[in-house]
């Protein structure tokens, strides 16, 4: 082979290597971008995720949770699921594809709710305080004891349009499933105007007592649960400090740190109660 042919062959080999390496680099960049995009998507906080008892507010929880899985292991070892054919406990660790921060504990009430273990095994094992023992404890006889009824994992919400009790069909499945019966969920009797001689038996959730365990959601008889648990930040409104329940001393504590109560003054507000109530008569006299 002539020197010129050898030179051309070497040039072509180097050119092929260059193009192969370039394509490999582009492929790796695309793959890296895809993986990173998936990681970022999974790392984002799911606003509807339900955490174990005692979990801090979501941002604080994510900062403190080291994804050790000890709470999940404790839940499995203390599985109180009445259906023993199912080996999976309430808590699970988020894995790729769950669309939740990977490695963090959560649960899905419709599948496996929290069975309200009195010893709350998932909380004391947390090494960082992401699950706060104090938030699920009470003082009894001068000692601090665990109290699962103080858990606030979420709050149950009733879809009145699809709850068959609101159709007039007698159903109290969610009420009977509630572990703190007649406290977190009560049944309210209401006249059925459609028949005029029957009563609705309606489930009413009391958010100040609801633990968010999801036993009601699990028990719901409709194809898609008409009562479901949402994070409290999503489900509940916020009154702010403008409105205070004057008949509740505890509610007045919300005034702490405020600059005081601002009163709006109008021409009507300057009137005495008698004048205000009879203002129409006063205007007629003028």
């Amino acid at each position: 082979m002539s020197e010129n042919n050898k030179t051309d062959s070497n040039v072509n080999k180097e050119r092929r290597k260059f193009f192969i390496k370039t394509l490999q680099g582009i492929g790796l960049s695309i793959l890296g971008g895809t993986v990173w995009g998936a990681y970022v998507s999974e790392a984002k906080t799911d606003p509807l995720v339900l955490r174990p008892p005692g979990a801090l507010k979501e941002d604080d929880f994510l900062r403190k949770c080291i994804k050790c899985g000890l709470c999940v292991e404790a839940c499995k070892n203390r599985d109180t699921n009445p259906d023993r054919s199912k080996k999976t406990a309430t808590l699970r660790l988020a894995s790729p594809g769950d669309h939740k921060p990977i490695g963090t504990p959560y649960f899905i009430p419709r599948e496996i709710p929290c069975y309200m273990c009195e010893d709350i095994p998932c909380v004391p094992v947390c090494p960082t305080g992401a699950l706060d023992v104090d938030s699920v404890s009470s003082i009894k006889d001068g000692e601090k004891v665990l109290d699962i009824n103080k858990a606030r994992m979420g709050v149950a919400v009733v879809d009145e349009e699809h709850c068959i009790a609101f159709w007039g069909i007698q159903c109290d499945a969610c009420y009977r499933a509630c572990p703190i019966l007649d406290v977190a969920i009560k049944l309210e009797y209401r006249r059925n105007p459609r028949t005029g001689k029957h009563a609705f038996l309606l489930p009413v959730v009391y958010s100040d007592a609801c633990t968010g365990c999801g036993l009601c959601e699990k028990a719901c008889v409709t194809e898609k649960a008409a009562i479901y648990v949402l994070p409290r930040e999503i489900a509940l409104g916020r009154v702010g400090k403008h409105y205070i329940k004057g008949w509740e001393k505890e509610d007045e504590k919300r005034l702490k740190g405020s600059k005081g109560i601002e009163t709006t003054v109008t021409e009507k507000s300057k009137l005495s109660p008698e004048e205000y109530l009879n203002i129409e008569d006063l205007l007629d006299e003028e």
Side-chain angles (χ1 to χ4, degrees):
M1 184 181 290
S2 66
E3 290 297 327
N4 288 337
N5 289 337
K6 286 182 179 180
T7 301
D8 291 341
S9 177
N10 290 334
V11 169
N12 289 334
K13 286 181 180 179
E14 292 299 322
R15 188 176 294 170
R16 281 197 297 271
K17 287 181 181 180
F18 171 78
F19 282 121
I20 290 171
K21 287 182 178 180
T22 301
L23 291 174
Q24 286 176 338
I26 292 173
L28 288 173
S29 297
I30 294 173
L31 178 61
T34 302
V35 172
W36 177 252
Y39 171 78
V40 170
S41 176
E42 293 288 346
K44 290 181 179 177
T45 300
D46 179 354
L48 299 180
V49 68
L50 296 173
R51 299 298 185 190
L56 301 175
K57 289 185 177 181
E58 187 66 8
D59 289 342
D60 295 330
F61 175 80
L62 291 177
R63 277 194 291 268
K64 285 201 168 188
C65 177
I66 58 174
K67 305 171 180 62
C68 62
L70 289 175
C71 56
V72 176
E73 287 301 315
C75 185
K76 287 180 181 178
N77 294 334
R78 184 64 175 79
D79 187 1
T80 55
N81 186 348
D83 184 357
R84 290 297 175 179
S85 64
K86 296 180 180 179
K87 299 298 183 183
T88 306
T90 299
L91 295 180
R92 59 182 76 179
L93 287 181
S95 56
D98 287 338
H99 304 294
K100 295 170 178 61
I102 295 173
T104 59
Y106 73 102
F107 70 103
I108 302 175
R110 188 63 165 171
E111 295 180 9
I112 308 179
C114 173
Y115 286 97
M116 302 276 284
C117 305
E118 291 186 6
D119 57 347
I120 328 180
C122 56
V123 177
V125 297
C126 179
T128 65
L131 303 181
D132 181 27
V133 173
D134 290 339
S135 69
V136 286
S137 298
S138 295
I139 302 299
K140 292 183 179 179
D141 299 326
E143 295 184 3
K144 184 171 72 173
V145 295
L146 290 169
D147 184 357
I148 186 59
N149 289 343
K150 292 192 69 177
R152 294 295 180 268
M153 295 168 275
V155 64
V157 177
V158 179
D159 176 2
E160 297 182 2
E161 185 176 352
H162 297 99
C163 173
I164 60 175
F166 284 82
W167 292 11
I169 299 174
Q170 185 172 340
C171 177
D172 60 359
C174 59
Y175 167 76
R176 293 294 174 189
C178 182
I180 39 179
L181 202 69
D182 279 325
V183 178
I185 300 182
K186 296 181 181 181
L187 291 180
E188 179 181 288
Y189 290 90
R190 191 182 303 171
R191 181 176 177 273
N192 186 340
R194 189 178 70 251
T195 64
K197 54 184 179 181
H198 298 96
F200 289 119
L201 198 61
L202 308 176
V204 178
V205 177
Y206 289 80
S207 61
D208 59 336
C210 178
T211 65
C213 67
L215 283 162
C216 56
E217 181 176 341
K218 176 67 175 176
C220 184
V221 300
T222 56
E223 182 177 344
K224 182 180 179 182
I227 182 170
Y228 44 86
V229 179
L230 293 175
R232 299 179 74 85
E233 293 76 13
I234 299 286
L236 301 180
R238 186 177 293 108
V239 176
K241 294 183 178 179
H242 296 85
Y243 302 96
I244 300 295
K245 298 175 185 176
W247 59 92
E248 292 184 8
K249 289 186 177 180
E250 283 294 313
D251 200 46
E252 292 183 0
K253 291 181 180 179
R254 292 196 291 112
L255 286 173
K256 186 177 180 180
S258 67
K259 296 179 180 179
I261 301 175
E262 296 182 6
T263 303
T264 302
V265 179
T266 65
E267 291 300 319
K268 285 187 178 181
S269 67
K270 295 177 182 177
L271 301 173
S272 67
E274 293 81 6
E275 291 173 332
Y276 179 81
L277 292 171
N278 296 288
I279 189 169
E280 295 298 331
D281 293 334
L282 292 173
L283 290 175
D284 291 339
E285 290 178 4
E286 292 180 358

